[in-house]
Amino acid sequence: TMWLKPEEVLLKNALKLWVQERSNQYFVLQRRRGYGEEGGGGLAGLLVGTLDAVLDSTSKVAPFRILHQTPDSQVYWSIACGSSREEITEHWDWLEHNVMKTLSVFDSNEDITSFVQGKIRGLIAEEGKGSFVKEDDPEKFREGLMKFEKCFGLPEQEKLVTYYSCSYWKGRVPCQGWLYLSTNFLSFYSFLLGAEIKLIISWDEISKLEKTSNVILTESIHVCSRGEDHYFSMFLHISETFLLMEQLANYAVRRLFDKETFENDLVLHDPLQITKRGLESRAHSEQFSAFFRLPKEETMKEVHECFLWVPFSHYNTHGKMCISENYICFASQDGSLCSVIIPLREVTGVDKADPANRGVSISTKGKTAFRFTEVRDFEQLVAKLRMKCNATSSPQHIINTEVAASSASDSPKDFDAGPSKMGQRGNSKTVSTEALMTVYHPQDAENLDSKMLKEKMKEQSWNILFVERGHGVSMFRTKKTRDLVVRGIPEALRGELWLLFSGAVNDMASNPGYYTELVEKSLGTCTLATDEIERDLRRSLPEHPAFQSDTGISALRRVLTAYAYRNPQIGYCQAMNILTSVLLLYAKEEEAFWLLVAVCERMLPDYFNRRIIGALVDQAVFEELIRVHLPQLTDHMTDMTFFSSVSLSWFLTLFISVLPIESAVNVVDCFFYDGIKAILQLGLAVLEYNMEKLLTCKDDAEAVTVLNRFFDSVTNKDSPLPPAVQQGSNLSNTKSDHPKVDITDLIRESNERYGDIRYEDVESMRCRNRLYVIQMLEATTKQNVLRVVSQDVKFSPSDLEELYELFKKEHFLSCYWNVNSPVLQHHDASLPYLDQYRIDCQQFRVLCHLLSPWSHCANRDSLALWTFRLMDESSDCLINFKQFACVLDTMYNGSFTDKLKLLFKLHIPPAFTEVESLSPSKGGDLSKEELIHFSQLSVSSVGYSLESDSLKSSPEKGKGKVDIQAYLKQWQDELLKKEENIKDLPRMNQSQFIQFSKTLYNLFHGDPEEELLYRAIAVVTSLLLKMEEVGRRLQSPTSPVKSPVTVTEVPAEIPRKGQEESSFEQTEGSKAQSLRGNHEWSFAFEQILASLLNEPAFVRFFEKPHDIKVKIESAKHLQLKARSRV
C-alpha cells in the first residue's frame, strides 16, 4: 500500500468500476469491482476484470483505494491505494486517528483540501526518505540538508541529524511543513499559500518536551520553551521522532548545564559526530544497561526475538535476547516477568540445539543450561557467541571470576571477593572481610525463638528458589523472586542478594583488586571531602554498636574515602554516610564499596553531586505520580512544593533516615530489586495511608508532624535484630495514639496498588522532568542575578531580563560548534549566581556591536576591546553580567559627565592599549585571534602599578585560610572606587589624546550636526593645547619655547567628508610634531570636561536619548547571524 500524490478523480462514471466499502465526512475507501467477490461480481465485475487484464502492468489498478472529498464538492482526490484489505485498512485507520478530528478546525472546504493534500505530499516525501534514514540514499538527505541550510541560515557546523514531515499548530490551525532536528536546534519551516513560518528553538531553552493528546490532536509532541507552547502533530513515526528529540534535548542539557556527568561521556564529546542511528542505539543501550543493571560501559550490540525454555514451569516464554560486549540478557515480553542475565565470564559452552526449532543452548559454570529457540540466524549467533566466549576466558579472568561469582560455588558462604587483606599494615588499612552484622549479631543456632524460626523459614524459601531457579548471577528472576523480596530478604542472605540484584556483583568481578588498591591510594589524602567524611563518621548510625567501635568507623571511613577518590566529581555528599553504614552492616567492605558505586553512578544518577539534580528530578516525577494517583490530595494542597521538601530525604537516603533501621532495610531490599520505582511506590503508599489526616491539615508544619508520627509507628515484627539495635521497638512501651503499621504490609500494599507503574514510564518521566528541573534552576539563577544587577542600573526590569537572555545566549552560541570549547569551562553552576555565566572578549565584541549605541563607530572593534579591558578588573579575561549591564547602562542612561568619563577611561590604561591590526586591508576590524591577544595584554603603565598590586594581594579564592581583614580592606577599596573622584583620574597623554579625538570624530560621523561637532573638536583641542602651553610657561619660565600657536590655530575651513580623516591626521600629527623635543603634554579629565561643556553641540550629542528596546529586538534576530559570520 502507498500514499499517492493527490489527483482529481471524477466519480460520475467511476462508480460502475468501484464499490464503496467505508466512508465518512471526508474520506471514502473503495474496492475495485470484481475483486474478492464470489462469482467475480457479475457482468460489471467481469468487465472490470477484462479491462485490468488487457491493460499493461504499469497501468494496472490496485484493488483498493482511498479518496478524499469535502461535503459539498463533486471533486474527489485519490490519496492512497493498496493491494490488500489489511494494508489499506491500516492507512484508513491512520487517517481516522490522526487527520479526521483535526479537519473540523478549518473554516472552509478549500482549506481542508489543501491541508489534506499538503499532509499526503509530506507523508510521501517522508516514506521516500525512509530509505535515507538507513543512510542508503545520501541524495535525498543532501536535498533535505540544503533546504535546512537555506531556510535557517545557521552556521555550517550545525549538524542536521534528521527531518520529518509534520504539522505545526499556529493557534487553532495546523500548518503542514518540515521539522528539522539538528545538534543544537529544533527548527520548523512551512511555506503555504504565500505564508512563511519559521521557528528555531535551541534545545537548551526547552523546559518541557512530552507526547500529549487531546480532542483535536490525537497524538502530538508538546514543546515548551521560554514560556511559549508549541505543538507538532501528524507524524508518520511519532515514537521514533520523540525518542530522537528526547535524546537531543537531553544531550544539550548534559553538555551545557551538567558538565559533571558529561565529561566522562566519550560518545557525546563531539557534537559533529552525532547521527540519528548513533542517538537511537545509544538510547536503547542506556535503557538496556539500566534495566539489567549492567556496568555503564556496556552497549547493546544486537537483539533477537526468541523463546526461552523455563524448566521449573515447563514452558517457553517469549521475549528478547539482548547481547552486549560481556553479557547475554533475556527479558520476557509476555507478562511472566521472567528475566535472566548471563555474564560471558560464566559461560562454558555455546551449542546449536534442536535445529528444527532454530535453538541455541548456553551452558554456564553453575551447571545450568539455557535453551533459546526460534532464534533468527541461530547458526551465525552460535559462531559469534563462541568467539566472544573464547575471547573473554583468558586464564587470569577465570581465576578471578571463580572467586567472585557465587554461582561458581555451591554454598553462599564461600562468597568471598578477591584478596582479603593487603598485607598486615596496621589496622586502619586492613580491609575487613566480614559484614558487620555477622560480627555484632552472630545468630545463635541453638536457641531459636519464634522470630528466629520465622527467619529460618524465610531462608528455607530462598534456598528452595535457588535449587529450582539457579543461584548466583545467572539465576532466573520471576514474579516469585519479587514476592520473596517484598516479604523482606533474610538477614543471612541480604548482602549477597543486594550485590546480585544491584548488578554490583558484575562490577566487582570485572575489577578484581581494584578496591584494595584504591584504599591504599586514598588513605591519608586530605581534601574537602575527607574533612566532611571525618565530620560525619560518628553521625551515621550512632545507635548501632558496630558504629560505636573503631571496626565499623574505620570501614566506613575507608569506603567513603575510596569512593571520593574514585569519583572526585561527586566526592562526598551528605546522605552517602547513612547509606554506606547500612550497606556495611550486611555486605563485606569491598562489596559495600561496589554497592555504593551502583547506587551513586547507576541507580540514582546525579543524586550526589553539588546540585542533587537527580533527586530533584525524581521528586518532580513523584509529584507527577501524586497528581495521577492521588488527585484528591493535589486538589487539597495549594502548593505542591510541600511534597518536594518533605520527600527529599526519602529519595536521598532511601527512607533510611526516616524509618527505624529494622524497617528501612526492607525498603532497601526492594530498591535493589526494583530500582527507584520501589521508592516512588512506597512514597505513594505512605501518602495514601495518611490521606485522611493530611486532608485535614491546615499547613505544612501539621502535615510534616502527621508523617513523622506515622514513620515512628512503623514496625517490623519479624525482625530478628536484638531489641537494643531496633529503633522502632523503643516506642512499643510508650502509649502511642498511632496504631502500629508493619513495614511488610506497607510494602506489599505499595506493590499491589502501584506495582503497575512501568519501569519504562518512570525512565521517560525522569527524562522529561530533567529538562524542567534544569530550567527551574536556571530561572533561579536569572532571578538572583537580575535582583542584584537591577539595583545598579536604570534599565527597566524587562529590558534587563532581555539583556540577560542575550548575554547567556552568546555564551551558549560559543559552545555549540566548538568541540572542546574553552568557553564551556566558563560556566560553573556551583559558583555564586553572578559568576555562573561569564563571557570573553570575543563574545563581548559580538554583543557590543549588536547593542551599543556607539556601534556605528569606525573603530568599534578597538572600542569594544578597550571597554572589555576596562571591565575585566580581575584580569582573568572574563566579565560577568553585572559588569556588562553597568557599562551599557552608562552608554544609554548615564549623564553627560558619566559618558564622557567612560570615554576618557577607555583611552587611558588599563583599558587603553595600542591597537594595530596585523592586516592593513581590514582597516579598524580585528580578527578573533588579534582581539583575544590584545585583551590578554597586561597593563604596563607606571601610573597603574598601584592598581595591579592591589589585585595581586586580593585574597585568592579557595587557597588556604581566608583572611577576613584582607576581604574587609578589599570591600572598603571597592566602596571608595564607587565614589571615585574626578580628580583621581590619571592624566591623558599625547598619543592617548590623539586617539580620543579620533574616536570622537568616528562617533560623530553621520550625525545631522556632524559639521558643528567636528568644528567643536577642533576648537576644544586648540583651547586645551593653549592651556597646556600657558601652564608649562608658568612652571619653567626660563626655558625658551617656540610658540606652537601658529600650528595649532585651526583652519576655519572644516574638511569635507572623505577628506576629514587625512586632514585630521595631518593637523593632529603636526601638533604632535611641533611639541616633540619639548615636554610631553598631558590633560586632566577636568580640563577636557570643562572645555567640552562649553560646546552645546557636544552636550546635545551625548544627552540625546537612545532606545535600547529597538537594539534588543534587532539583536534577537541578528545574534545567530552574527555568529555564522564570525
Side-chain angles (χ1 to χ4, degrees), residues 203-210 222-224 242 245-254 257 613 617 620 764-778:
W203 294 114
D204 57 78
E205 292 178 340
I206 292 180
S207 56
K208 208 176 215 171
L209 177 63
E210 57 183 356
H222 169 208
V223 176
C224 178
F242 184 71
M245 288 168 84
E246 203 170 47
Q247 285 285 304
L248 282 164
N250 216 1
Y251 162 71
V253 159
R254 281 174 54 192
F257 296 110
I613 286 179
V617 168
S764 80
M765 286 161 91
R766 268 177 159 181
C767 216
R768 184 165 70 234
N769 282 293
R770 185 184 189 83
L771 300 177
Y772 166 74
V773 165
I774 294 264
Q775 294 303 344
M776 291 310 291
L777 292 170
E778 284 296 303

Side-chain angles (χ1 to χ4, degrees), residues 128-266:
K129 195 194 75 177
S131 58
F132 103 73
V133 169
K134 304 180 188 66
E135 283 155 23
D136 295 338
D137 186 356
E139 220 19 71
K140 202 83 178 167
F141 187 69
R142 200 168 299 124
E143 204 178 297
L145 183 63
M146 282 170 66
K147 220 163 148 187
F148 170 69
E149 287 174 349
K150 196 173 120 234
C151 292
F152 303 103
L154 295 168
E156 53 211 36
Q157 304 98 304
E158 180 62 15
K159 185 169 192 312
L160 177 63
V161 176
T162 184
Y163 58 98
Y164 296 98
S165 151
C166 72
S167 299
Y168 169 62
W169 289 76
K170 196 111 173 104
R172 292 184 60 80
V173 179
C175 312
Q176 180 55 35
W178 291 92
L179 179 72
Y180 295 89
L181 308 182
S182 58
T183 340
N184 299 296
F185 299 96
L186 171 161
S187 321
F188 176 83
Y189 184 81
S190 154
F191 184 81
L192 272 183
L193 310 174
E196 183 179 57
I197 293 172
K198 215 182 264 193
L199 189 69
I200 302 182
I201 300 171
S202 55
W203 294 114
D204 57 78
E205 292 178 340
I206 292 180
S207 56
K208 208 176 215 171
L209 177 63
E210 57 183 356
K211 272 198 282 192
T212 57
S213 53
N214 59 30
V215 183
I216 297 176
L217 297 174
T218 38
E219 260 200 311
S220 61
I221 294 176
H222 169 208
V223 176
C224 178
S225 151
R226 288 207 188 178
E228 281 185 48
D229 291 306
H230 306 277
Y231 291 91
F232 302 92
S233 68
M234 307 210 206
F235 291 93
L236 247 185
H237 312 287
I238 191 163
S239 300
E240 172 197 296
T241 312
F242 184 71
L243 177 81
L244 281 170
M245 288 168 84
E246 203 170 47
Q247 285 285 304
L248 282 164
N250 216 1
Y251 162 71
V253 159
R254 281 174 54 192
R255 176 163 179 249
L256 302 170
F257 296 110
D258 199 10
K259 294 192 290 293
E260 294 178 354
T261 48
F262 182 78
E263 279 159 9
N264 312 331
D265 197 331
L266 300 171

Side-chain angles (χ1 to χ4, degrees), residues 841-994:
C841 192
Q842 160 64 13
Q843 298 160 303
F844 175 70
R845 165 170 69 172
V846 175
L847 284 174
C848 211
H849 293 354
L850 288 171
L851 293 165
S852 158
W854 301 341
S855 57
H856 61 281
C857 196
N859 61 340
R860 61 187 197 157
D861 276 3
S862 318
L863 268 183
L865 167 70
W866 297 330
T867 312
F868 183 82
R869 286 173 61 98
L870 179 69
M871 288 183 291
D872 178 20
E873 287 162 3
S874 53
S875 302
D876 56 3
C877 299
L878 294 171
I879 61 166
N880 63 27
F881 179 68
K882 183 175 177 180
Q883 294 163 318
F884 172 74
C886 288
V887 83
L888 269 184
D889 187 58
T890 306
M891 294 176 182
Y892 277 95
N893 306 319
S895 65
F896 175 73
T897 312
D898 294 334
K899 289 179 187 172
L900 209 61
K901 188 158 80 181
L902 173 63
L903 275 171
F904 182 86
K905 284 161 89 176
L906 294 184
H907 291 82
I908 54 174
F912 182 74
T913 174
E914 289 289 348
V915 174
E916 299 279 316
S917 175
L918 307 178
S919 51
S921 59
K922 284 167 65 182
D925 292 351
L926 297 172
S927 72
K928 181 175 174 181
E929 290 66 35
E930 289 166 354
L931 192 72
I932 297 294
H933 163 73
F934 286 128
S935 73
Q936 289 166 348
L937 287 182
S938 58
V939 178
S940 53
S941 146
V942 187
Y944 234 81
S945 60
L946 291 168
E947 183 87 5
S948 48
D949 282 353
S950 70
L951 276 173
K952 281 181 201 129
S953 62
S954 82
E956 286 192 41
K957 294 177 201 163
K959 290 198 183 156
K961 293 278 170 280
V962 175
D963 180 356
I964 300 295
Q965 290 309 110
Y967 263 118
L968 288 172
K969 184 175 176 330
Q970 203 181 344
W971 281 336
Q972 226 168 345
D973 293 347
E974 275 177 16
L975 285 173
L976 285 172
K977 219 188 261 169
K978 277 217 167 124
E979 299 155 16
E980 171 185 54
N981 196 325
I982 289 178
K983 289 193 169 64
D984 301 338
L985 286 170
R987 293 172 72 85
M988 183 183 270
N989 73 18
Q990 187 173 316
S991 63
Q992 292 157 6
F993 180 73
I994 290 176

Side-chain angles (χ1 to χ4, degrees), residues 271-289:
L272 302 180
Q273 297 307 312
I274 289 184
T275 61
K276 173 174 187 285
R277 193 181 297 155
L279 282 172
E280 285 174 332
S281 64
R282 179 189 175 77
H284 295 312
S285 272
E286 279 175 352
Q287 289 164 358
F288 156 76
S289 48

Side-chain angles (χ1 to χ4, degrees), residues 807-866:
F807 182 86
K808 179 174 146 185
K809 186 84 184 158
E810 193 52 45
H811 163 81
F812 281 141
L813 288 174
S814 320
C815 308
Y816 286 164
W817 301 291
N818 200 338
V819 184
N820 299 319
S821 167
V823 180
L824 264 175
Q825 310 312 319
H826 302 172
H827 171 223
D828 182 352
S830 60
L831 291 175
Y833 292 120
L834 256 179
D835 297 332
Q836 287 186 18
Y837 287 107
R838 298 189 300 162
I839 58 174
D840 63 18
C841 192
Q842 160 64 13
Q843 298 160 303
F844 175 70
R845 165 170 69 172
V846 175
L847 284 174
C848 211
H849 293 354
L850 288 171
L851 293 165
S852 158
W854 301 341
S855 57
H856 61 281
C857 196
N859 61 340
R860 61 187 197 157
D861 276 3
S862 318
L863 268 183
L865 167 70
W866 297 330

